[in-house]
Short mmCIF file of all heavy atoms in Angstrom, two decimals:
data_model
loop_
_atom_site.label_atom_id
_atom_site.label_comp_id
_atom_site.label_asym_id
_atom_site.label_seq_id
_atom_site.Cartn_x
_atom_site.Cartn_y
_atom_site.Cartn_z
N LEU A 154 125.78 -24.15 -81.76
CA LEU A 154 127.01 -24.11 -82.55
C LEU A 154 126.82 -24.76 -83.91
O LEU A 154 127.36 -24.28 -84.92
CB LEU A 154 128.13 -24.83 -81.78
CG LEU A 154 128.75 -24.06 -80.60
CD1 LEU A 154 129.61 -24.98 -79.75
CD2 LEU A 154 129.58 -22.88 -81.10
N SER A 155 126.04 -25.83 -83.96
CA SER A 155 125.76 -26.48 -85.24
C SER A 155 124.98 -25.57 -86.17
O SER A 155 125.18 -25.57 -87.39
CB SER A 155 124.99 -27.79 -85.01
OG SER A 155 125.75 -28.70 -84.25
N SER A 156 124.06 -24.77 -85.61
CA SER A 156 123.29 -23.85 -86.44
C SER A 156 124.14 -22.71 -86.98
O SER A 156 123.85 -22.15 -88.03
CB SER A 156 122.11 -23.28 -85.64
OG SER A 156 122.56 -22.39 -84.63
N VAL A 157 125.23 -22.37 -86.26
CA VAL A 157 126.11 -21.27 -86.70
C VAL A 157 127.19 -21.78 -87.64
O VAL A 157 127.45 -21.19 -88.69
CB VAL A 157 126.76 -20.58 -85.48
CG1 VAL A 157 127.79 -19.54 -85.93
CG2 VAL A 157 125.70 -19.91 -84.62
N PHE A 158 127.83 -22.92 -87.28
CA PHE A 158 128.98 -23.40 -88.05
C PHE A 158 128.65 -24.56 -88.98
O PHE A 158 129.50 -24.96 -89.77
CB PHE A 158 130.09 -23.83 -87.08
CG PHE A 158 130.67 -22.71 -86.28
CD1 PHE A 158 130.25 -22.49 -84.98
CD2 PHE A 158 131.62 -21.86 -86.82
CE1 PHE A 158 130.79 -21.45 -84.21
CE2 PHE A 158 132.15 -20.83 -86.07
CZ PHE A 158 131.74 -20.61 -84.77
N GLY A 159 127.46 -25.13 -88.86
CA GLY A 159 127.11 -26.27 -89.70
C GLY A 159 127.92 -27.48 -89.35
O GLY A 159 128.17 -27.78 -88.17
N ASP A 160 128.40 -28.20 -90.38
CA ASP A 160 129.16 -29.43 -90.14
C ASP A 160 130.54 -29.16 -89.53
O ASP A 160 131.19 -30.09 -89.04
CB ASP A 160 129.35 -30.20 -91.46
CG ASP A 160 128.02 -30.71 -92.00
OD1 ASP A 160 127.08 -30.89 -91.20
OD2 ASP A 160 127.91 -30.90 -93.23
N ASN A 161 130.99 -27.91 -89.56
CA ASN A 161 132.30 -27.56 -89.01
C ASN A 161 132.21 -27.05 -87.58
O ASN A 161 133.14 -26.38 -87.10
CB ASN A 161 132.97 -26.50 -89.90
CG ASN A 161 133.23 -27.01 -91.31
OD1 ASN A 161 133.66 -28.15 -91.48
ND2 ASN A 161 132.95 -26.17 -92.30
N ALA A 162 131.11 -27.34 -86.90
CA ALA A 162 130.93 -26.86 -85.53
C ALA A 162 132.02 -27.43 -84.63
O ALA A 162 132.31 -28.64 -84.68
CB ALA A 162 129.56 -27.26 -85.01
N PRO A 163 132.65 -26.58 -83.79
CA PRO A 163 133.70 -27.08 -82.89
C PRO A 163 133.13 -27.98 -81.80
O PRO A 163 132.01 -27.78 -81.34
CB PRO A 163 134.28 -25.79 -82.29
CG PRO A 163 133.18 -24.79 -82.41
CD PRO A 163 132.42 -25.14 -83.66
N ALA A 164 133.92 -28.97 -81.41
CA ALA A 164 133.51 -29.87 -80.32
C ALA A 164 133.76 -29.20 -78.97
O ALA A 164 134.81 -28.61 -78.76
CB ALA A 164 134.29 -31.18 -80.41
N ILE A 165 132.78 -29.24 -78.08
CA ILE A 165 132.91 -28.60 -76.78
C ILE A 165 132.80 -29.59 -75.63
O ILE A 165 132.92 -29.21 -74.47
CB ILE A 165 131.87 -27.47 -76.60
CG1 ILE A 165 130.45 -28.05 -76.64
CG2 ILE A 165 132.05 -26.42 -77.67
CD1 ILE A 165 129.38 -27.00 -76.33
N ALA A 166 132.57 -30.85 -75.96
CA ALA A 166 132.39 -31.85 -74.91
C ALA A 166 133.65 -32.05 -74.08
O ALA A 166 133.59 -32.41 -72.91
CB ALA A 166 131.94 -33.18 -75.50
N SER A 167 134.83 -31.80 -74.69
CA SER A 167 136.09 -31.98 -73.95
C SER A 167 136.18 -30.99 -72.79
O SER A 167 136.61 -31.35 -71.68
CB SER A 167 137.28 -31.80 -74.89
OG SER A 167 137.25 -32.76 -75.92
N GLY A 168 135.78 -29.74 -73.03
CA GLY A 168 135.77 -28.76 -71.95
C GLY A 168 134.80 -29.15 -70.85
O GLY A 168 135.09 -29.00 -69.65
N TYR A 169 133.63 -29.65 -71.25
CA TYR A 169 132.63 -30.12 -70.29
C TYR A 169 133.21 -31.25 -69.43
O TYR A 169 133.06 -31.25 -68.20
CB TYR A 169 131.39 -30.60 -71.05
CG TYR A 169 130.28 -31.15 -70.20
CD1 TYR A 169 129.25 -30.33 -69.76
CD2 TYR A 169 130.24 -32.49 -69.85
CE1 TYR A 169 128.22 -30.82 -68.98
CE2 TYR A 169 129.21 -33.00 -69.08
CZ TYR A 169 128.21 -32.16 -68.66
OH TYR A 169 127.18 -32.67 -67.90
#
Side-chain angles (χ1 to χ4, degrees):
L154 284 167
S155 298
S156 70
V157 174
F158 295 99
D160 294 336
N161 297 318
I165 63 175
S167 299
Y169 179 93

